[in-house]
Amino acid sequence: MIPIWLKRSAVIGASGIVVCVLLLTASYVAARIRAPKDARIVEDLKKQVRQDSAFAPKLEAEHKRITAALQRRKKLDDILALVLMAAAALFIASAKWLDASSGRRPLPMDRLVHLKAGPKVRQVLARPAATNGEEEPPAAFVERIVQRHGRSKEAAIPLLQAIQAHYRYLPDEALKRVCELTEITPAQIAGTSSFYSQFRRSPMGRHLVRVCHGTACHVSGARQLTEELRRRLEIPDGADTDARRMFTVGEVACLGCCSLAPVIMVDGQTVGKVTPAGACEALDGIRSPSLT
Ligand code: FES
């Protein structure tokens, strides 16, 4: 909940900036318009003084008037400049405070998951994410895609991509069936699947959590975040998925929103300023029966 006085401060600051800028601009324009007229008057008086010295006091009075006007204008400009700086400071402070109060502060990622602020995230996390193709036996699925992509060695990548897209990894049973039905050999499959990082040989969890390890996120604690997530999910060394296959935790390069570091991506949804505690609490929430 954002305090009303904070919003008012931001509005007052912004209004102050606008008014001061307008007044300073008006003062500058008026001075630019006035200057040639004053110069003309002074020039005329000087000519008259040269012809008749009786005009000297008038010239002096005109000089005094112009000097006084200049000093008045300078004083007013100084005051406006001070008010402008104060208004800008008020606006910046209020805006920063508003920003911090509006949910972009260090997460409580669980708030994004459970509260009104994050219905999209909640939807993403609560959906029955991946099914790992459990509804169709790999052998039957492979027969279908082989009919579509053919049996030649050139069909290896499209076949592997289809299997990966369907199961989110390459089940041994499916790969075996590919070798039985096509000209593709186990060695070719092993080479291709290990060469391209898009292919996985082990099952994925229902939810994919990617922790950004770009420079900004790295210095903001991405390593601790990853370690805490892995520890909380009891993911063993050398693996990236928990025993229940609920979560797969991986690393990713810069996600392009470094100002929100550290950033994680959960099932394609980017969430910034995540704390290890907040992320773990959120995962606990996802693991609860009501969300899964
Ligand atoms: S470094 Fe993480 S989003 Fe850029």
Side-chain angles (χ1 to χ4, degrees):
M1 180 73 181
I2 299 170
I4 190 78
W5 61 265
L6 197 53
K7 288 184 187 168
R8 281 191 186 146
S9 302
V11 172
I12 291 169
S15 309
I17 292 171
V18 172
V19 170
C20 288
V21 168
L22 286 176
L23 287 176
L24 281 168
T25 307
S27 167
Y28 174 76
V29 171
R32 288 296 298 255
I33 293 171
R34 187 74 216 163
K37 287 183 186 168
D38 288 344
R40 251 195 327 272
I41 292 170
V42 169
E43 204 48 48
D44 289 346
L45 283 170
K46 277 183 181 170
K47 278 183 198 159
Q48 289 171 343
V49 169
R50 266 184 239 117
Q51 290 163 5
D52 184 351
S53 61
F55 284 98
K58 203 172 176 187
L59 176 61
E60 193 181 342
E62 193 58 31
H63 271 306
K64 277 185 186 163
R65 185 192 64 76
I66 293 172
T67 308
L70 279 175
Q71 283 172 343
R72 268 201 312 279
R73 187 192 146 217
K74 189 172 176 315
K75 205 179 277 179
L76 182 66
D77 286 356
D78 287 347
I79 292 170
L80 284 174
L82 282 174
V83 175
L84 176 61
M85 281 192 283
L90 178 66
F91 177 72
I92 291 168
S94 308
K96 275 188 172 274
W97 211 335
L98 272 173
D99 187 43
S101 308
S102 64
R104 293 179 65 191
R105 60 190 161 192
L107 263 187
M109 173 177 144
D110 53 321
R111 293 191 64 193
L112 281 176
V113 177
H114 296 295
L115 301 182
K116 201 171 138 218
K120 208 170 161 193
V121 179
R122 185 188 167 119
Q123 279 169 15
V124 169
L125 297 177
R127 72 190 176 194
T131 59
N132 284 350
E134 284 153 7
E135 74 285 355
E136 184 173 18
F141 175 70
V142 169
E143 281 163 28
R144 269 200 305 118
I145 58 172
V146 165
Q147 282 175 7
R148 193 183 326 144
H149 295 291
R151 297 169 189 275
S152 67
K153 286 181 183 296
E154 288 69 40
I157 290 181
L159 286 172
L160 292 183
Q161 283 174 327
I163 296 169
Q164 171 77 41
H166 189 69
Y167 295 101
R168 303 176 82 210
Y169 80 109
L170 302 176
D172 287 343
E173 194 185 333
L175 299 182
K176 195 161 159 258
R177 192 67 183 141
V178 168
C179 293
E180 287 169 0
L181 294 176
T182 67
E183 298 166 10
I184 301 163
T185 63
Q188 188 183 354
I189 284 183
T192 307
S193 61
S194 58
F195 183 78
Y196 296 102
S197 60
Q198 61 177 298
F199 298 124
R200 281 179 63 90
R201 292 304 299 270
S202 57
M204 282 186 74
R206 288 180 63 190
H207 298 287
L208 176 59
V209 182
R210 291 182 189 276
V211 182
C212 176
H213 278 251
T215 307
C217 290
H218 182 75
V219 298
S220 299
R223 176 63 51 205
Q224 294 91 312
L225 195 52
T226 304
E227 284 169 4
E228 186 58 22
L229 285 170
R230 292 179 60 90
R231 191 189 65 74
R232 181 69 75 96
L233 295 170
E234 298 175 358
I235 297 175
D237 289 345
D240 60 4
T241 303
D242 65 335
R244 293 175 57 201
R245 289 194 195 163
M246 278 290 292
F247 295 98
T248 293
V249 177
E251 297 181 7
V252 68
C254 178
L255 290 169
C257 44
C258 310
S259 61
L260 298 178
V263 177
I264 66 172
M265 186 179 265
V266 186
D267 293 341
Q269 179 75 43
T270 305
V271 188
K273 297 197 174 179
V274 188
T275 61
C280 290
E281 279 173 33
L283 297 191
D284 288 344
I286 298 165
R287 285 193 288 189
S288 73
S290 62
L291 286 176
T292 59

